[in-house]
Amino acid sequence: MISISLQDGDLVLSILKLSVDRLPSFLLNQCFAYCSNFSKGFKFQKEELIQMWMAQGFIIQPQDGRNLVIEDIGDKYFNIVLSRSLFQDVVKDERGRITHCKMHDLIYEIACTISHSKKLHSGHANLLEEGSCTNWSRKSVVNLRTFICDGQMLHEMIHDRITNCFRLRVLILNSSVQNLPDSIGKMKHLRYLDISDSKIKEIRYSFSLLYNLQTLKLGRSTKNLPNNLSKLVSLRHLQFPILNFTEKTKQMPPHLSRLTQLQTLSGFVVGFENGCKIEELGPLKNLKGRLELSNLEHIKSKEEAMTSKLVEKKNLNELLFEWDLHILREGSINNNNDLEVLEGLQPHQSLQFLSIKNFAGQFLPSGIFVENLVVIHLRHCERCEILPMLGQLSNLEELNISSLNRVRSIGNEFYGNDATHLALFPKLKKFVLSQMYSLEQWEELVVASNDAIFPRLEDLNIRGCPKLTSIPNIFGSSSHAGVRNFRSLHIYGCEYLWM
């Protein structure tokens, strides 16, 4: 345990320091002190901070923690520090998960004191804080473990500083840097590389020598994913702007299935060639969070789609499926193939967010909409003629249906009414229906007196439905819960609509 001394007169700092002194381990003290390497008032992204702790070796998996991945232990570390009120201004996403936090100025001073007292700070450099760092010695550069460049430094100056940093574990280049130094392949200890806000366009071949790299974050300037990416056998987190790469990339680098430790993968562009097909996702059992799959028209059959083994990936909570819209316009695709492929991409029951775009089948398979879904987006499914049965999804809170231009009516098939469900769309809060150019009828549903339709609906948005003439009475039900919850109604571009 680390105990630091402060001036007796500084009562506030003395009290705050107790929370630090009582951290249960030396490693937790290191995690806390590491935050001093960022500027005062810095907004930490939780997952990034944990990944940097991992890169520094501050998180160790216990011998009896066989079922825990190291990120889970890092999450526990973060929660312990948070529980001591050493983080503040916590930001959560729409599902209540912590995404960001800050450190109070006084707490930050304590972190700096610990860092300097244990000489932890000498192994890290933040150029935004240190300026040009002209006083660096060659010895200090060689021993540097963290290099953060957030300022507008000259490209040549940055290269000169990091050329000999062979012991770096964390490298963040968010500035005017245009390419990685030739020496990047010699940084054998590098575990965290973030060039997402740099101007780096190409990744050098020597990059594949970073066998210990755990986290790689690329930005919009980077043209393509490295073709030899599969050599980074320790990679756990690969993040890149999927829309940017989808526009430039016809397929993923080959043999990503070799990255068996991979947990975060922003997206996968399905290709034709061996090593680039959807089957590469099969061995990646630890994938979690959000995954976007594009160019799904390259999958030939349901059996091929099943090789992705999405149904076994219980830690994926967001999936986005996208086909090529141009193929839909040309009419050169087999409708039934899209249906079979989507059935083969069956997700795990734990999935919470599902987006389907440019699907070319006549109807969407009901089995793809699993029980735990909270958000569903259906967009540009141009040939879909009927809406899927969604009314019985007990956790669905947001539904967005757009540009299903062959749907003419919404009827009982949408609700899936049966005697076992007392409420239809029981938790739905937001419903958006837009650009449905052929939609003419939204039928009134006859239900038993004890049933309710949209009992918790708060926001109904209908726009761009020029043929729609009426909508059912969904503002009140037998329980009248809808009346209490309803907040906003937006109707635009529906000149024939009356209620």
Side-chain angles (χ1 to χ4, degrees):
M1 180 179 292
I2 297 176
S3 180
I4 61 176
S5 60
L6 298 169
Q7 294 182 1
D8 295 337
D10 200 336
L11 180 60
V12 175
L13 282 178
S14 297
I15 295 174
L16 291 174
K17 153 178 125 56
L18 291 176
S19 294
V20 180
D21 288 343
R22 293 179 180 177
L23 287 172
S25 74
F26 172 73
L27 292 174
L28 272 165
N29 273 275
Q30 286 188 308
C31 290
F32 168 72
Y34 188 76
C35 298
S36 68
N37 294 293
F38 298 85
S39 56
K40 185 179 293 186
F42 184 82
K43 188 175 183 179
F44 295 100
Q45 205 275 347
K46 176 185 173 182
E47 299 300 328
E48 291 179 355
L49 183 59
I50 291 174
Q51 289 164 15
M52 282 186 271
W53 288 346
M54 290 168 48
Q56 296 298 334
F58 297 157
I59 303 175
I60 299 176
Q61 190 166 7
Q63 295 180 353
D64 58 349
R66 296 179 181 177
N67 296 326
L68 287 177
V69 295
I70 196 167
E71 285 81 0
D72 293 335
I73 301 171
D75 187 74
K76 288 187 175 182
Y77 280 19
F78 180 91
N79 290 331
I80 291 173
V81 177
L82 178 63
S83 69
R84 300 296 199 278
S85 300
L86 301 178
F87 289 137
Q88 65 174 27
D89 296 342
V90 168
V91 177
K92 297 182 180 181
D93 63 14
E94 64 278 1
R95 293 171 204 165
R97 298 172 299 192
I98 296 175
T99 59
H100 296 81
C101 67
K102 290 184 178 181
M103 184 174 280
H104 190 278
D105 289 354
L106 291 177
I107 299 296
Y108 178 79
E109 294 298 331
I110 296 176
C112 290
T113 302
I114 295 177
S115 184
H116 284 292
S117 68
K118 292 297 176 180
K119 297 183 180 180
L120 300 176
H121 201 272
S122 60
H124 310 279
N126 184 333
L127 294 195
L128 188 62
E129 293 287 306
E130 302 291 342
S132 63
C133 296
T134 55
N135 60 338
W136 284 7
S137 67
R138 181 176 179 85
K139 181 178 180 181
S140 64
V141 169
V142 170
N143 292 324
L144 206 62
R145 292 165 63 94
T146 298
F147 190 104
I148 303 171
C149 179
D150 289 325
Q152 295 298 317
M153 290 190 65
L154 293 176
H155 172 77
E156 294 79 8
M157 185 179 296
I158 295 172
H159 270 232
D160 181 60
R161 293 289 180 260
I162 64 178
T163 296
N164 297 312
C165 298
F166 298 137
R167 296 184 182 179
L168 273 182
R169 288 173 175 253
V170 173
L171 177 58
I172 302 175
L173 298 177
N174 295 340
S175 68
S176 59
V177 180
Q178 298 178 8
N179 55 67
L180 289 171
D182 294 330
S183 61
I184 186 70
K186 298 180 181 179
M187 298 179 184
K188 305 297 185 182
H189 301 283
L190 193 63
R191 287 162 169 78
Y192 185 101
L193 176 60
D194 182 354
I195 58 173
S196 57
D197 288 334
S198 71
K199 296 182 180 179
I200 296 173
K201 296 180 180 180
E202 301 286 348
I203 304 295
R204 298 184 183 276
Y205 183 81
S206 61
F207 171 83
S208 63
L209 300 176
L210 301 177
Y211 301 121
N212 289 310
L213 193 66
Q214 298 173 343
T215 300
L216 174 61
K217 298 186 177 184
L218 304 176
R220 296 185 181 278
S221 296
T222 308
K223 293 181 179 180
N224 292 296
L225 293 172
N227 201 48
N228 50 7
L229 193 64
S230 63
K231 293 185 178 181
L232 305 180
V233 293
S234 298
L235 199 63
R236 304 172 73 90
H237 305 282
L238 174 59
Q239 295 177 237
F240 54 91
I242 180 63
L243 179 61
N244 185 59
F245 278 88
T246 301
E247 294 174 350
K248 301 176 181 178
T249 306
K250 295 182 179 179
Q251 60 187 16
M252 299 295 286
H255 308 301
L256 290 190
S257 58
R258 297 173 182 174
L259 305 180
T260 55
Q261 298 188 55
L262 201 61
Q263 296 185 31
T264 304
L265 178 63
S266 297
F268 190 91
V269 184
V270 181
F272 280 120
E273 299 177 9
N274 289 334
C276 303
K277 297 181 180 180
I278 193 69
E279 63 187 8
E280 293 298 309
L281 293 176
L284 307 183
K285 300 178 181 180
N286 298 316
L287 288 179
K288 66 178 183 179
R290 179 185 179 97
L291 174 62
E292 300 187 33
L293 302 181
S294 58
N295 287 8
L296 294 178
E297 67 277 359
H298 291 168
I299 303 177
K300 297 178 181 179
S301 65
K302 178 178 180 178
E303 290 71 25
E304 183 180 348
M306 291 175 65
T307 61
S308 65
K309 298 182 180 180
L310 295 182
V311 71
E312 300 177 9
K313 298 178 181 9
K314 63 180 180 179
N315 294 320
L316 278 177
N317 49 47
E318 297 187 19
L319 275 174
L320 295 87
F321 297 145
E322 183 173 356
W323 284 258
D324 190 350
L325 182 59
H326 298 292
I327 292 181
L328 297 182
R329 292 173 179 171
E330 296 169 2
S332 60
I333 193 170
N334 185 337
N335 298 3
N336 294 328
N337 184 61
D338 273 25
L339 176 60
E340 292 177 358
V341 167
L342 191 53
E343 289 176 336
L345 295 174
Q346 178 69 32
H348 190 272
Q349 289 293 322
S350 61
L351 191 71
Q352 296 182 323
F353 178 102
L354 176 63
S355 174
I356 301 175
K357 185 177 181 181
N358 300 338
F359 172 79
Q362 293 183 341
F363 64 91
L364 290 153
S366 58
I368 202 77
F369 302 101
V370 295
E371 183 68 21
N372 283 323
L373 279 171
V374 177
V375 179
I376 296 176
H377 290 178
L378 306 176
R379 294 172 176 164
H380 297 287
C381 302
E382 300 284 353
R383 295 176 179 168
C384 194
E385 298 179 355
I386 60 174
L387 296 183
M389 183 179 67
L390 302 176
Q392 297 177 15
L393 296 179
S394 58
N395 295 297
L396 187 62
E397 296 182 6
E398 179 182 329
L399 177 60
N400 190 317
I401 302 176
S402 174
S403 299
L404 274 67
N405 290 327
R406 292 197 182 183
V407 174
R408 296 182 178 276
S409 66
I410 300 176
N412 286 356
E413 74 287 342
F414 180 53
Y415 302 95
N417 189 25
D418 64 40
T420 63
H421 285 75
L422 298 180
L424 302 173
F425 294 100
K427 291 186 178 180
L428 192 68
K429 297 178 180 179
K430 182 178 181 179
F431 188 9
V432 177
L433 198 63
S434 66
Q435 315 305 318
M436 304 284 284
Y437 297 122
S438 299
L439 183 63
E440 300 174 0
Q441 302 180 57
W442 187 350
E443 300 174 4
E444 192 82 44
L445 182 65
V446 178
V447 295
S449 58
N450 63 336
D451 285 347
I453 306 175
F454 303 109
R456 297 188 182 182
L457 189 64
E458 298 177 0
D459 184 3
L460 177 62
N461 192 320
I462 305 175
R463 59 180 184 269
C465 303
K467 296 183 179 180
L468 185 61
T469 58
S470 65
I471 63 176
N473 179 21
I474 59 176
F475 307 103
S477 61
S478 58
S479 65
H480 299 291
V483 175
R484 292 194 298 269
N485 289 311
F486 204 82
R487 296 179 181 178
S488 61
L489 172 65
H490 301 273
I491 298 178
Y492 178 79
C494 308
E495 53 265 34
Y496 295 111
L497 183 60
W498 60 273
M499 297 179 291

